[in-house]
Amino acid sequence: MSNNSNGIDKKIVRKGLLPYVFIIIIMLLVFYFFSAGNPTEHDFTYNQFMNQLEKGKVKEIKIVPKGSGYVYEVSGTLKSYKEGETFEVLLPLSDEVMKKLVEASDTYDFKLEVEPDPEASTWIIILANFLPIVVLVALAFWFLNKQMSSNKSSLDFGKSRARLDNDSNKVTFKDVAGLKEEKEEVKELIDFLKDPKKFQKLGARIPKGVLLFGPPGTGKTLLAKAVAGEADVPFYFISGSDFVELFVGVGASRVRDMFKEAKRNAPCLIFIDEIDAVGRQRGSGIGGGHDEREQTLNQLLTEMDGFGANEGIIIIAATNRPDVLDPALLRPGRFDRQITVNLPDIKGREEILAVHAKNKILAEGVTLENLAKRTPGFSGADLENLLNEAALLAVRRNKNEITMSEIDEATDRVLMGPAKLSHKYTENDRKLVAYHEAGHAVIGLKLRSASDVQKVTIIPRGSAGGYNMMVPTEEKLCSTKTDLLEEITGLLGGRTAEEITFGEITTGAHNDFEKATKIVRAMVTEYGMSDLGPLQFEQQSGSVFLGRDYNKPQHFSNEVANEIDMEMRKIINDCHKKAKDIINKNKDLLKLIAETLLEYETLTKEQIDYLVEHGHMPEENEENLESLSITKLREIAKEKGIKNYSKMNKAELLKELDQ
């Protein structure tokens, strides 16, 4: 560790010395440039030059008076010099010397040239004397400026990170689909921001803070933007993590600066996203508190509680985890109003789909109403992603519009991931998966009060070898005991079909068991739906800082724990027995669905209903390749000369035939 730190220190030292080394090099170059003379082949003394001049050996000379006014600088060549050779000599500046040079030139007829003094120019003198200084000062200023700019981020640590939203991207309630009740709750905020005096007349105090909480992707941020857009006030937005820094006190300083800026622009709205990053309960966890976060939270609490009734500043915060927030944040005077932004119902989903489908070309058979029915539990973000995936698939398949085929595939992608076309089944595996999924389908068809079978497939996706999409016949606010028991029975249908058909069980039902066990345990320990009576033994909560299931408190004895296990086993066994009875009575239907799945790989709700009613699939339409069986697709592939068609699954055949 010490070696590494020494290496880092050496790098820092070297980096710090580089500017100074650079300045020294520049100074040396400037000094050399202004001090170095022109190189000559021969340097004469005064006597040597005069001796050569009197003997007539001079070929040509050039005289330049020096700026000092005391000497001539004489350069030239002798008759005995080769090409390129020159001499240089300094002569005293006097009339006598100049007379001798002129007389020698007349006597020996050599070229004599006299040039003006270049240093006699005032500008040249100024440049020669001050240019090096200017260059050095400019370089020093550049390095200092660079040093200051590199440290700029450290100088504004305490500045607010809140950003002002651009008016060009203004959002209103027209852009927020669904959320009817939530919009009604925040309309008072809009009226207050527009006309606060109307509330002050009657002594009403508008909520200082509004907390939006709910599942991810339900539109909390969009709703906050719409409030500011409807009120036409500045919208400051910041993330909770933008407050917290390494150094204690920085977050508190940013909070103060944010509110100071907001007061200058009141009325306005501040939106804090993911407030749980800074608003967690103080002093909790194994390691105690977090000084920086707690000081930031304390400052936030102080600023919120210090507002006057007419400040015109409203704070909206959003989080997915209200259970971890500090109680002081939720008391009156801070976040007075708490609004739950739930997942949209069927009407809300249809409205959301209409918003996101505006710029998309949908085929005639695609209706948003049917799509909304098939997507219970989807958030607004999920629905937007669903339509976007469908559009991408349509482009990939070179289509001019989005058909139901792309929407089906996009739904599967959102729920389970892309199809694993490269995954190869053995025939035995395909048969096991087909009967497993057919078992789920049979239970779903015979227990109509539980759910509707929308789609069955044996194409592997994610970690699943196949899956059965089942949605409730109608969306309910709460579930009855019968609903939950039938849901458990449906989850056990796959394993039950394996037992009855093959006399063997596989690992394919592990996810079904996981879901069934959670439902059963909740029925016994939370919902009071067992012979133990209406008692709640557990709660859906855990230690916020230790993990949800770590160190979960147990409020019952070991004897009661044993009774809970017995009740769970009893419910599971009863549902398993019921699933066996249903499948034994409908073996023909199980076989029909399974064998059809082996042939078509995917069955939709309409195909399943037709199959149950008529005992066979509807007539195949060769114009719609996706509705054809594998046998028919292989015949078409053979006619088109596609190689290895007999080893391809349906998805691979469709891909080859589309090309």
Side-chain angles (χ1 to χ4, degrees):
M1 186 72 179
S2 60
N3 292 336
N4 188 26
S5 62
N6 289 337
I8 294 173
D9 292 341
K10 289 178 181 178
K11 288 181 181 178
I12 294 173
V13 171
R14 286 198 296 269
K15 188 175 180 181
L17 289 175
L18 281 177
Y20 302 102
V21 173
F22 184 70
I23 290 176
I24 292 170
I25 293 172
I26 293 294
M27 292 176 66
L28 291 174
L29 289 173
V30 171
F31 177 77
Y32 177 77
F33 176 78
F34 286 101
S35 64
N38 294 326
T40 60
E41 294 291 333
H42 304 278
D43 290 329
F44 287 167
T45 64
Y46 173 75
N47 292 331
Q48 288 175 336
F49 172 72
M50 295 305 291
N51 186 28
Q52 296 292 335
L53 183 67
E54 292 173 356
K55 292 180 179 180
K57 293 183 178 181
V58 175
K59 183 179 181 181
E60 61 177 336
I61 60 173
K62 181 168 64 175
I63 303 171
V64 180
K66 296 300 289 182
S68 60
Y70 297 105
V71 293
Y72 289 120
E73 186 181 79
V74 179
S75 61
T77 60
L78 300 181
K79 294 178 179 178
S80 60
Y81 282 1
K82 297 178 182 178
E83 186 177 354
E85 286 186 302
T86 61
F87 67 83
E88 188 174 284
V89 64
L90 294 176
L91 302 179
L93 185 62
S94 66
D95 293 339
E96 184 181 351
V97 171
M98 180 58 71
K99 183 179 179 181
K100 288 181 179 180
L101 292 174
V102 173
E103 289 177 353
S105 174
D106 293 338
T107 303
Y108 299 109
D109 193 23
F110 62 82
K111 184 178 179 183
L112 176 62
E113 184 179 352
V114 180
E115 292 187 356
D117 183 5
E119 296 181 1
S121 173
T122 304
W123 287 107
I124 294 177
I125 293 173
I126 292 173
L127 287 175
N129 290 324
F130 293 102
L131 183 60
I133 299 174
V134 172
V135 170
L136 291 176
V137 171
L139 286 172
F141 181 78
W142 180 71
F143 279 115
L144 286 173
N145 188 50
K146 188 174 181 182
Q147 187 91 7
M148 291 294 291
S149 62
S150 64
N151 294 328
K152 187 178 179 181
S153 58
S154 63
L155 297 177
D156 62 353
F157 257 16
K159 295 293 183 181
S160 170
R161 293 291 191 268
R163 297 172 295 280
L164 182 63
D165 192 23
N166 192 356
D167 290 338
S168 61
N169 299 322
K170 188 177 291 185
V171 177
T172 62
F173 280 166
K174 293 180 181 179
D175 304 304
V176 183
L179 304 181
K180 184 178 180 181
E181 292 78 13
E182 290 82 354
K183 290 178 187 175
E184 291 294 330
E185 284 290 316
V186 297
K187 275 185 178 179
E188 284 181 2
L189 305 180
I190 299 170
D191 295 337
F192 174 76
L193 289 169
K194 285 183 176 179
D195 186 14
K197 293 181 180 179
K198 183 173 69 173
F199 293 83
Q200 293 163 12
K201 280 182 183 178
L202 299 177
R205 180 182 62 81
I206 203 68
K208 296 177 183 177
V210 177
L211 180 66
L212 306 176
F213 61 89
T218 49
K220 298 182 287 294
T221 303
L222 192 65
L223 183 61
K225 282 187 177 182
V227 173
E230 290 286 340
D232 195 21
V233 297
F235 178 72
Y236 290 93
F237 62 97
I238 189 172
S239 172
S241 59
D242 286 335
F243 291 111
V244 184
E245 282 287 352
L246 175 65
F247 304 106
V248 177
V250 174
S253 175
R254 289 178 178 175
V255 171
R256 287 191 294 269
D257 189 66
M258 180 181 71
F259 282 98
K260 182 180 177 182
E261 180 71 19
K263 288 175 183 177
R264 282 201 295 261
N265 294 278
C268 67
L269 189 146
I270 299 174
F271 176 65
I272 306 175
D273 199 10
E274 305 298 343
I275 195 174
D276 52 276
V278 71
R280 286 181 176 228
Q281 297 174 17
R282 291 168 287 182
S284 300
I286 292 178
H290 185 290
D291 286 340
E292 163 63 358
R293 187 174 62 232
E294 290 189 4
Q295 285 198 21
T296 306
L297 175 58
N298 291 337
Q299 187 64 44
L300 180 62
L301 297 175
T302 303
E303 292 287 344
M304 290 187 68
D305 200 28
F307 278 166
N310 59 350
E311 290 278 356
I313 302 173
I314 292 177
I315 304 174
I316 297 181
T319 181
N320 304 324
R321 305 181 62 193
D323 55 307
V324 306
L325 296 180
D326 194 276
L329 265 178
L330 307 180
R331 75 159 176 82
R334 279 150 188 169
F335 286 104
D336 309 74
R337 185 169 298 178
Q338 300 168 33
I339 301 175
T340 304
V341 185
N342 284 319
L343 293 169
D345 57 10
I346 184 170
K347 186 177 180 182
R349 292 196 298 274
E350 187 175 352
E351 293 175 1
I352 293 170
L353 287 167
V355 170
H356 294 302
K358 284 181 180 178
N359 61 340
K360 295 178 176 62
I361 303 173
L362 302 178
E364 290 185 5
V366 179
T367 61
L368 299 181
E369 182 181 358
N370 291 336
L371 186 54
K373 289 179 181 178
R374 300 177 59 174
T375 51
F378 276 52
S379 66
D382 291 331
L383 294 171
E384 191 275 336
N385 187 37
L386 171 64
L387 288 179
N388 186 60
E389 286 286 345
L392 291 174
L393 284 169
V395 173
R396 199 177 303 164
R397 295 173 179 178
N398 297 319
K399 292 186 177 181
N400 297 322
E401 57 186 7
I402 302 171
T403 66
M404 206 63 205
S405 171
E406 283 76 45
I407 290 178
D408 278 338
E409 175 65 19
T411 305
D412 295 341
R413 280 172 169 264
V414 172
L415 290 173
M416 304 291 293
K420 294 186 175 180
L421 301 180
S422 60
H423 185 80
K424 298 298 181 183
Y425 271 141
T426 64
E427 284 303 316
N428 187 48
D429 287 340
R430 289 183 79 249
K431 195 171 184 179
L432 279 169
V433 173
Y435 273 89
H436 179 102
E437 299 302 334
H440 288 304
V442 169
I443 300 294
L445 290 168
K446 297 304 175 182
L447 298 178
R448 286 281 183 177
S449 62
S451 54
D452 253 348
V453 180
Q454 289 290 329
K455 185 177 184 179
V456 186
T457 180
I458 59 172
I459 297 175
R461 291 179 182 272
S463 60
Y467 80 99
N468 194 319
M469 182 191 293
M470 303 174 72
V471 299
T473 52
E474 58 181 6
E475 295 184 34
K476 301 177 182 178
L477 184 62
C478 56
S479 300
T480 65
K481 183 178 180 180
T482 302
D483 293 337
L484 295 176
L485 290 174
E486 290 190 349
E487 186 174 351
I488 296 168
T489 304
L491 289 169
L492 298 176
R495 166 62 69 87
T496 305
E498 293 175 13
E499 291 179 281
I500 292 175
T501 306
F502 304 103
E504 185 63 271
I505 56 178
T506 68
T507 60
H510 69 94
N511 187 247
D512 299 331
F513 295 157
E514 180 183 353
K515 294 177 181 177
T517 304
K518 285 182 180 179
I519 297 172
V520 172
R521 189 164 192 86
M523 288 176 65
V524 177
T525 62
E526 296 179 45
Y527 307 148
M529 294 180 178
S530 70
D531 293 341
L532 295 179
L535 295 173
Q536 189 176 63
F537 300 103
E538 294 177 351
Q539 295 179 346
Q540 288 293 338
S541 64
S543 178
V544 172
F545 298 94
L546 301 180
R548 293 190 180 275
D549 300 316
Y550 182 80
N551 197 27
K552 182 181 286 188
Q554 182 172 310
H555 303 294
F556 46 84
S557 64
N558 292 332
E559 289 78 9
V560 173
N562 183 51
E563 291 183 28
I564 290 173
D565 293 340
M566 292 176 64
E567 284 295 319
M568 290 175 61
R569 190 175 293 111
K570 178 184 175 184
I571 293 174
I572 287 289
N573 288 338
D574 290 344
C575 290
H576 190 202
K577 183 177 180 300
K578 186 174 183 179
K580 276 187 175 180
D581 293 340
I582 293 173
I583 290 179
N584 278 323
K585 291 178 182 178
N586 297 277
K587 283 186 177 180
D588 293 339
L589 179 60
L590 176 72
K591 183 178 180 181
L592 177 64
I593 295 175
E595 294 298 326
T596 307
L597 269 176
L598 289 170
E599 186 68 16
Y600 287 83
E601 290 192 338
T602 300
L603 298 176
T604 63
K605 174 177 169 38
E606 294 75 14
Q607 290 174 325
I608 293 172
D609 291 342
Y610 190 94
L611 186 65
V612 172
E613 184 177 353
H614 298 89
H616 60 84
M617 290 288 285
E619 293 183 6
E620 296 178 338
N621 180 9
E622 293 193 12
E623 293 181 0
N624 183 10
L625 294 176
E626 294 175 4
S627 65
L628 301 180
S629 65
I630 290 181
T631 304
K632 187 65 178 177
L633 288 173
R634 285 173 177 167
E635 290 176 1
I636 297 173
K638 183 180 179 181
E639 292 174 1
K640 292 190 174 184
I642 296 174
K643 297 179 180 179
N644 299 323
Y645 66 89
S646 60
K647 298 180 180 179
M648 295 181 185
N649 57 31
K650 186 173 182 179
E652 291 171 324
L653 286 167
L654 288 171
K655 186 177 179 181
E656 289 293 328
L657 292 171
D658 281 341
Q659 293 178 354

